Amino acid sequence: MDEFLARLRNFDIRIRKAVNSQMRGSFRSIFKGTGLEFSDLRTYQYGDDVRAIDWNVSSKGHGTFVKVFREEKDQTVFFVVDVSASQEVGPRQRNKLDTTKEVCGVLALSAIREASHVGMYCFSDQKEKYIKPGNGLKTGYQLIMSLFKLQPESTRTSIADALLFTLNALKRRSVVILLSDFIDLRYEHNLKALAKKHDLVVIHLYDQREVKLPRLGIIPVHDTETGRTVWVNTSSVSFRSGLYNTFRQNQVRLEQLCKQYNANYLALDSQEDFVPKLVELFRVRKY
């Protein structure tokens, strides 16, 4: 745990130095989001957005009124973290799940200082860990400790169920950071709903073995989620192109979906230094 926290602090320091030198600002605008809450009513004026008209009040015959909103002062940053068995692909010393925990942890450290509330939901095809959004360092470090110690009970994945849980759990608009390898099907509808309701950041983790396997001839490949083992010819041109094309199609579809619904998308190789890409993500979100 001490080593894990030391790595997170090192990443945090590097990111903060980059943020302060490149953007001349803090993380506040990154995590603040665009949450709005109802404040008051006023008479409709030319140029007002007609979608803001309160038709229930206006129908009483005393004029046309629009709703006035103000930015929420208390923002929630909520992490949705895939801990299924497919996340354990990669070198033993650092697989996708290890990188996922580090990225989530360093973002949580940053969010603790800038956001009022931080929460987390870890999932496989079931609820593995849920920390209700709360404020203060105590909640933040509880989140990081739980993430470090977590041993998932199930090997399977259901992104759709995790997104549905998040939609039901968060009543107010929040910054939702979704970390997964997205090796799953039929989650798009719930992803759209989440992106419409919340300020969504999608972080797509992958390993080079899922994109370009070494040429090892015919080898057994074990699927940790289903428990099945199949023999594949890693030297086959059709197998290698099929592996790459499947990954790219999934990535392009996810990236386009995020772009369509104004969600931020970031792809991370689990073996790369993720700090520069996080800094770039923050730059995009700040402006």
Side-chain angles (χ1 to χ4, degrees):
M1 184 66 191
D2 290 340
E3 292 179 5
F4 183 63
L5 280 173
R7 288 200 303 275
L8 295 188
R9 292 192 183 104
N10 179 53
F11 293 138
D12 187 43
I13 291 170
R14 287 179 59 199
I15 291 173
R16 286 184 172 275
K17 284 183 177 179
V19 168
N20 290 332
S21 63
Q22 294 180 22
M23 297 189 292
R24 306 291 181 188
S26 72
F27 284 82
R28 184 166 299 279
S29 62
I30 295 161
F31 290 115
K32 186 170 59 175
T34 55
L36 299 174
E37 61 182 357
F38 174 73
S39 175
D40 201 355
L41 288 169
R42 65 167 173 77
T43 306
Y44 175 84
Q45 298 175 3
Y46 178 78
D48 285 339
D49 189 341
V50 294
R51 292 174 297 182
I53 295 176
D54 188 323
W55 294 107
N56 289 331
V57 175
S58 301
S59 64
K60 294 178 181 179
H62 301 295
T64 303
F65 294 86
V66 295
K67 296 177 181 178
V68 178
F69 296 89
R70 65 184 178 190
E71 192 169 52
E72 292 177 357
K73 294 180 179 178
D74 295 327
Q75 180 69 332
T76 296
V77 178
F78 192 75
F79 296 91
V80 184
V81 187
D82 182 354
V83 295
S84 62
S86 66
Q87 284 274 67
E88 296 177 9
V89 171
R92 185 169 298 178
Q93 68 274 14
R94 184 183 174 83
N95 58 31
K96 284 189 295 185
L97 187 55
D98 295 328
T99 303
T100 299
K101 289 182 177 182
E102 289 180 355
V103 173
C104 181
V106 74
L107 291 177
L109 274 179
S110 302
I112 290 165
R113 297 188 182 94
E114 305 294 348
S116 297
H117 297 81
V118 179
M120 180 178 70
Y121 180 70
C122 295
F123 69 93
S124 51
D125 63 343
Q126 64 184 36
K127 179 174 73 175
E128 297 288 352
K129 185 68 179 181
Y130 172 54
I131 296 178
K132 186 177 180 181
N135 58 359
L137 287 173
K138 182 178 179 181
T139 302
Y141 280 101
Q142 179 194 359
L143 183 155
I144 292 170
M145 187 172 293
S146 299
L147 189 64
F148 174 75
K149 294 181 177 181
L150 184 64
Q151 296 293 327
E153 295 181 2
S154 176
T155 59
R156 295 179 178 269
T157 312
S158 179
I159 297 175
D161 287 349
L163 299 181
L164 183 60
F165 177 92
T166 305
L167 282 164
N168 292 330
L170 299 177
K171 304 304 180 185
R172 297 167 62 182
R173 184 172 174 84
S174 307
V175 176
V176 177
I177 300 178
L178 172 61
L179 302 101
S180 174
D181 56 14
F182 293 94
I183 301 178
D184 197 12
L185 300 170
R186 295 182 289 278
Y187 61 81
E188 290 84 359
H189 177 75
N190 288 356
L191 187 72
K192 293 176 187 177
L194 192 68
K196 287 180 179 179
K197 187 177 179 181
H198 298 284
D199 181 7
L200 179 62
V201 179
V202 169
I203 299 180
H204 181 188
L205 279 296
Y206 67 93
D207 186 87
Q208 283 297 322
R209 301 181 194 197
E210 300 164 334
V211 183
K212 188 177 180 181
L213 268 177
R215 297 179 185 273
L216 301 173
I218 300 174
I219 62 170
V221 176
H222 180 69
D223 186 330
T224 52
E225 294 205 9
T226 64
R228 293 177 58 220
T229 298
V230 295
W231 289 81
V232 298
N233 185 357
T234 57
S235 299
S236 165
V237 174
S238 61
F239 171 78
R240 297 178 67 81
S241 62
L243 186 71
Y244 176 78
N245 290 337
T246 298
F247 171 79
R248 279 295 296 156
Q249 289 168 10
N250 182 43
Q251 184 183 36
V252 169
R253 186 178 72 252
L254 179 59
E255 188 171 8
Q256 289 177 344
L257 191 65
C258 291
K259 186 176 181 180
Q260 183 180 355
Y261 291 94
N262 297 317
N264 294 108
Y265 173 83
L266 176 64
L268 285 181
D269 183 333
S270 61
Q271 302 306 307
E272 71 178 318
D273 179 5
F274 57 76
V275 169
K277 284 196 173 181
L278 287 185
V279 172
E280 176 62 18
L281 173 66
F282 293 163
R283 188 191 67 78
V284 171
R285 285 180 58 78
K286 190 176 181 68
Y287 303 108

